[in-house]
Amino acid sequence: MVEIGKKKLDSGWIAARSTEVDLNGVQLTTTHPPSTTDLSSPWIEAVVPGTVLGTLLKNKLVPDPFYGLNNETIIDIADSGREYYTFWFFTTFQCALLEHQHVDLNFRALNYSAEVYVNGHIRILPKGMFRRHSLDVTDILHPDGQNLLAVLVNPPDHPGKIPPQGGQGGDHEIGKDVAAQYVEGWDWMTPIRDRNTGIWDEVTIFVTGPVKIVEPHLVSTFYDNYERAYLHCTTELENRSAWAVDCSLNIQVTADLEGNFCLV
Amino acid sequence: EHLHTQELSIPPGSCIQYTFPPLFFYRPNLWWPNGMGKQSLYTVVITVDVKDYGESDSWSHLFGFRKIESTIDEATGGRLFKVNGEPIFVRGGNWILSDGLLRLSDKRYSTDIKFHADMNLNMIRCWGGGLAERPEFYHYCDIYGLLVWQEFWITGDVDGRGDPISNPNGPLDHDLFLVCAMDTIKLLRNHPSLALWVGGNEQIPPDDINIALKNNLKLHPYFESMGGV
């Protein structure tokens, strides 16, 4: 039985440069899952959440860019081409659902766009570094066994070139994308060679029953010089089942006192 | 008083919006910035139980009762802040991100933000050329009492200045910018440390983005008519 709630997928990830992988996402998540045991395999241990450069550093394939002039020895995306920093990420997870349970696969942020494959099914994640993506994968999970997840992550569309003299924001191309702009270098920072490409924030699977709580919003108002206060809460509720549900919605506010005591 | 249960029926395959009746608090423990008092936090838990099924979903968040106001001072051009009606002398630190490879661990955020509090700062400004910071960052700002000035992803040096002059019209896809902005607002809006949204660094976003951000971030009319302190 799977309990409702969140489970982070932050271990067991492997990665490979897209140009070194001959298989497509459907094959990777069905008949040909990757392995790191073969010495000629392009797959390496990955940092998720993290960037491509972080994964390369973890595997000692680049020197630490923040020591000395090491960054100068790492090839910049403008010179290598975007495909050099376009990477596959792969992991597996278990999730045996009960009847009427639903599961979302969530990416809290990735840079810049991606194709997601789960057990051979493709989902396209649109562009944008600062947005969440939530995929309902209930119907494509394997109920008793491993689920295969592969993500092809593309760098920003306009990674830009770093002028010889440097300068704030390089050649300014990165400003065309909705992404962090410091990555072309600034007066306090060397250029980030992969422009922070990667699954840079947490990946989770989230299990719910038929009804899901969506984006609650909390607001307070005050009266009589803060003697009286009201907590206002609005939420969305999504019924994912095929029948009308009767449900009981509950809100409870507690104050944590000192010494692990809780005031209800 | 701090508990409410509501029976609801939701049609199949649909999404509804529900507003709880306001929960009353008498003299709540207020959340104060670092140096002005305690960072009192309440735990808000929302659960939904479905008939014949049981608990279907659960959500919880730390919540701080505080009121933050800010105005531009006509005499100096500076921004004046009040928290819970009290003027605050802002001592701010500039923040880009915790690490250039985005190794943004919980421990790293905890240490970095506690360090700001230990330095007697009470505000962190998240620069527009960096990140919309993560919920873990805001969590520790809630805990240690750092107000957050969060900028969106516009900088003059990339959007309108530079040599040669860069595109002054911001990112190419304005709709994408607004999608990202609105999603970010929903991600972070419940944190008591969140004090101010700013369009960008040393730059006003293109008109359509700026107007949309202002519209999406303005106080709901319901709360404008709620009176005040």
Side-chain angles (χ1 to χ4, degrees):
Chain A
M1 172 185 171
V2 180
E3 288 185 4
I4 65 165
K6 181 169 98 171
K7 180 187 172 192
K8 284 187 188 178
L9 302 182
D10 57 0
S11 61
W13 286 88
I14 54 177
R17 182 168 289 117
S18 65
T19 52
E20 296 171 9
V21 176
D22 296 327
L23 303 167
N24 61 37
V26 173
Q27 292 168 315
L28 288 172
T29 56
T30 51
T31 53
H32 294 80
S35 157
T36 53
T37 52
D38 178 3
L39 288 178
S40 62
S41 167
W43 293 88
I44 53 178
E45 203 176 330
V47 180
V48 175
T51 63
V52 168
L53 211 54
T55 287
L56 295 174
L57 177 59
K58 181 183 177 70
N59 290 275
K60 301 188 180 353
L61 296 172
V62 294
D64 192 322
F66 301 141
Y67 277 88
L69 295 177
N70 279 350
N71 197 49
E72 299 290 326
T73 67
I74 303 172
I75 190 167
D76 191 84
I77 193 170
D79 301 316
S80 68
R82 289 174 69 249
E83 62 279 3
Y84 185 82
Y85 287 111
T86 301
F87 265 64
W88 279 105
F89 292 86
F90 178 89
T91 194
T92 61
F93 62 94
Q94 307 251 355
C95 187
L97 297 175
L98 293 176
E99 197 180 4
H100 308 314
Q101 283 189 327
H102 295 257
V103 61
D104 290 323
L105 172 63
N106 299 314
F107 296 86
R108 207 166 65 180
L110 55 81
N111 190 25
Y112 188 64
S113 61
E115 293 172 22
V116 176
Y117 295 83
V118 180
N119 299 335
H121 298 263
I122 183 174
R123 299 283 188 274
I124 303 291
L125 300 190
K127 299 172 183 179
M129 182 173 176
F130 306 110
R131 66 192 295 185
R132 291 168 293 173
H133 304 276
S134 188
L135 306 173
D136 184 346
V137 293
T138 308
D139 295 335
I140 58 178
L141 291 192
H142 295 153
D144 303 310
Q146 278 200 329
N147 295 287
L148 308 183
L149 167 63
V151 188
L152 178 65
V153 181
N154 301 298
D157 290 350
H158 302 90
K161 252 181 142 52
I162 311 303
Q165 73 278 13
Q168 307 216 133
D171 66 356
H172 313 311
E173 283 290 294
I174 196 71
K176 292 179 177 175
D177 295 336
V178 184
Q181 301 183 355
Y182 80 95
V183 290
E184 280 201 64
W186 222 267
D187 52 10
W188 54 274
M189 176 55 105
T190 55
I192 304 293
R193 298 312 191 185
D194 68 345
R195 307 290 188 266
N196 281 159
T197 300
I199 306 172
W200 67 276
D201 201 0
E202 70 175 29
V203 185
T204 57
I205 51 173
F206 200 101
V207 176
T208 66
V211 177
K212 179 181 172 187
I213 297 168
V214 183
E215 310 280 19
H217 189 192
L218 307 172
V219 176
S220 53
T221 53
F222 301 96
Y223 299 89
D224 302 335
N225 198 27
Y226 300 93
E227 287 275 307
R228 291 188 298 127
Y230 290 90
L231 174 63
H232 307 258
C233 177
T234 295
T235 186
E236 291 173 41
L237 297 164
E238 185 183 359
N239 177 7
R240 305 176 128 190
S241 73
W243 68 95
V245 296
D246 293 321
C247 60
S248 175
L249 183 66
N250 182 69
I251 185 170
Q252 181 173 322
V253 185
T254 56
D256 288 333
L257 303 179
E258 290 173 11
N260 288 331
F261 283 92
C262 180
L263 178 68
V264 179
Chain B
E1 291 169 342
H2 305 157
L3 180 69
H4 181 82
T5 300
Q6 179 69 41
E7 304 299 324
L8 293 170
S9 184
I10 308 176
S14 65
C15 189
I16 65 163
Q17 191 177 67
Y18 178 74
T19 299
F20 287 97
L23 298 180
F24 173 68
F25 289 75
Y26 176 67
R27 298 182 72 177
N29 296 318
L30 299 177
W31 183 93
W32 291 96
N34 183 35
M36 290 182 78
K38 282 190 172 180
Q39 289 74 54
S40 300
L41 293 166
Y42 291 77
T43 302
V44 179
V45 178
I46 300 173
T47 55
V48 58
D49 291 281
V50 172
K51 189 179 174 188
D52 299 330
Y53 175 82
E55 187 170 280
S56 178
D57 198 3
S58 170
W59 178 91
S60 73
H61 206 283
L62 291 176
F63 182 76
F65 284 93
R66 94 289 186 262
K67 180 168 183 171
I68 299 172
E69 302 159 274
S70 76
T71 53
I72 302 289
D73 180 37
E74 288 184 7
T76 66
R79 186 172 287 271
L80 302 178
F81 286 85
K82 281 184 177 178
V83 180
N84 302 332
E86 299 291 333
I88 175 173
F89 181 71
V90 171
R91 304 175 298 279
N94 200 25
W95 177 274
I96 316 293
L97 31 72
S98 187
D99 175 77
L101 295 185
L102 307 188
R103 293 170 287 197
L104 310 175
S105 70
D106 196 65
K107 186 179 179 190
R108 190 165 190 140
Y109 276 134
S110 169
T111 306
D112 288 357
I113 292 160
K114 183 175 185 301
F115 185 49
H116 281 70
D118 290 344
M119 287 190 293
N120 203 26
L121 303 184
N122 54 23
M123 180 176 277
I124 294 180
R125 171 240 188 176
C126 295
W127 176 65
L131 300 181
E133 265 300 353
R134 303 293 86 197
E136 291 78 10
F137 171 95
Y138 277 86
H139 170 76
Y140 288 108
C141 288
D142 295 344
I143 297 286
Y144 292 116
L146 274 302
L147 298 165
V148 184
W149 166 309
Q150 177 69 60
E151 295 178 359
F152 290 108
W153 321 285
I154 301 274
T155 74
D157 300 273
V158 167
D159 301 296
R161 292 202 294 260
D163 182 17
I165 295 288
S166 56
N167 172 27
N169 199 29
L172 294 180
D173 189 338
H174 290 196
D175 290 339
L176 172 61
F177 185 96
L178 290 172
V179 165
C180 290
M182 280 183 252
D183 192 58
T184 300
I185 291 163
K186 286 182 176 177
L187 178 68
L188 302 174
R189 62 188 177 185
N190 292 321
H191 288 276
S193 55
L194 177 61
L196 188 70
W197 292 104
V198 175
N201 165 58
E202 300 173 8
Q203 186 85 338
I204 297 171
D207 281 347
D208 57 328
I209 290 179
N210 202 38
I211 290 167
L213 288 176
K214 283 185 171 181
N215 280 337
N216 280 297
L217 285 165
K218 72 182 176 190
L219 198 61
H220 191 283
Y222 175 76
F223 293 103
E224 281 179 357
S225 64
M226 287 291 285
V229 174

